[in-house]
């Protein structure tokens, strides 16, 4: 038999210097069904400990220890389940929450210097907690939300967050969602163990595939 040596055999990770690390991170890690945090070229964001549903948006260039009174976005009344930066606007981030709403936030250039209590747009329409938010990668200001009410909604943020689409054909909990590369289709994984490709332009399932045998994927 032929033994092939790995190209990564002699590659080892190296911890960055202390001055290049972020310290005093007080993450609320109670959102297992989502990506929890996000980052872009300028900031990272993640849910923060505390009452209601606060989360932090912090500049990547400000390494070191985060202050104890770090500025927070505090508009949710329930735990923040997911966060996603707008791919077109670095200072715009969407949040999903246990309080059944999603919200869109605008932070100052350079990051918040005080708590932000009022969102830019609030998206109300789901009946159970919202577990995912995903911006369309091509169409600006188009945001999808996924909820435990087994529905997916698409919102026009430029039009004051108007609901433009709702898909409610999943028979069980939706556990994963993402757009394809050009934003024309999206894929979901459902607790019924099926992957679905959905065309939002005509609200139809373009394909269904049986996936893993386990309850989660």
């Amino acid at each position: 038999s032929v033994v092939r040596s790995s190209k990564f055999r002699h590659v080892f990770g190296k911890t960055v210097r202390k001055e290049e690390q972020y310290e005093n991170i007080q993450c609320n890690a109670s959102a297992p069904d989502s990506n929890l945090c996000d980052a872009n070229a300028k900031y990272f964001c993640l849910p923060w400990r505390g009452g209601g549903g606060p989360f932090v948006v912090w500049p990547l260039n400000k390494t070191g220890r985060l202050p104890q009174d770090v500025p927070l976005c505090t508009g949710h009344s329930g735990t923040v389940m997911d966060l996603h930066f707008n791919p077109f606007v670095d200072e715009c981030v969407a949040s999903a929450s246990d309080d059944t709403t999603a919200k869109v936030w605008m932070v100052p250039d350079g990051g918040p210097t005080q708590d932000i209590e009022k969102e830019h747009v609030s998206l109300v329409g789901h009946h159970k907690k919202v577990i995912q938010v995903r911006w369309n990668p091509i169409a600006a200001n188009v945001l999808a939300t996924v909820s435990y009410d087994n529905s997916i909604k698409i919102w026009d943020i430029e039009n004051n967050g108007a609901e433009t689409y709702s898909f409610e054909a999943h028979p069980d909990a939706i556990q994963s969602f993402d757009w394809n590369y050009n934003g024309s289709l999206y894929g979901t994984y459902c607790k019924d163990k099926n992957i679905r490709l959905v065309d939002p332009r005509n609200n139809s399932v373009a394909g269904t595939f049986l996936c893993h045998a386990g309850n989660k994927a």
Side-chain angles (χ1 to χ4, degrees), residues 38-91:
D38 195 27
N40 61 18
K42 295 175 67 174
Y43 310 96
F44 71 82
C45 60
L46 72 166
W48 207 251
R49 292 178 186 171
F55 68 93
V56 67
V57 177
W58 191 255
L60 292 175
N61 61 5
K62 291 186 178 180
T63 54
R65 186 175 180 83
L66 273 67
Q68 199 64 32
D69 58 347
V70 60
L72 300 171
C73 299
T74 61
H76 283 293
S77 60
T79 301
V80 170
M81 307 298 292
D82 193 28
L83 295 159
H84 194 213
F85 280 109
N86 188 322
F88 301 97
V89 183
D90 287 336
E91 283 72 30

Side-chain angles (χ1 to χ4, degrees), residues 154-170:
I154 296 177
W155 313 80
D156 181 359
I157 304 307
E158 196 170 26
N159 188 22
N160 296 317
E163 180 184 325
T164 61
Y165 166 94
S166 184
F167 186 79
E168 302 176 6
H170 287 83

Side-chain angles (χ1 to χ4, degrees), residues 122-158:
S122 183
L123 308 175
V124 180
H126 288 292
H127 306 299
K128 293 185 179 180
K129 67 180 178 181
V130 183
I131 59 168
Q132 273 193 286
V133 282
R134 281 294 171 272
W135 294 99
N136 188 288
I138 298 296
N141 296 309
V142 174
L143 180 69
T145 57
V146 181
S147 170
Y148 267 9
D149 62 12
N150 301 347
S151 73
I152 295 167
K153 296 183 184 294
I154 296 177
W155 313 80
D156 181 359
I157 304 307
E158 196 170 26

Side-chain angles (χ1 to χ4, degrees), residues 158-209:
E158 196 170 26
N159 188 22
N160 296 317
E163 180 184 325
T164 61
Y165 166 94
S166 184
F167 186 79
E168 302 176 6
H170 287 83
D172 212 329
I174 304 163
Q175 296 178 325
S176 184
F177 170 99
D178 210 350
W179 295 97
N180 68 347
Y181 74 99
N182 64 9
S184 61
L185 301 172
Y186 62 78
T188 66
Y189 179 76
C190 181
K191 197 174 180 180
D192 69 355
K193 304 176 185 177
N194 283 297
I195 290 175
R196 292 172 174 82
L197 295 178
V198 181
D199 187 343
R201 293 165 295 185
N202 54 30
N203 207 16
S204 64
V205 178
T208 302
F209 312 93

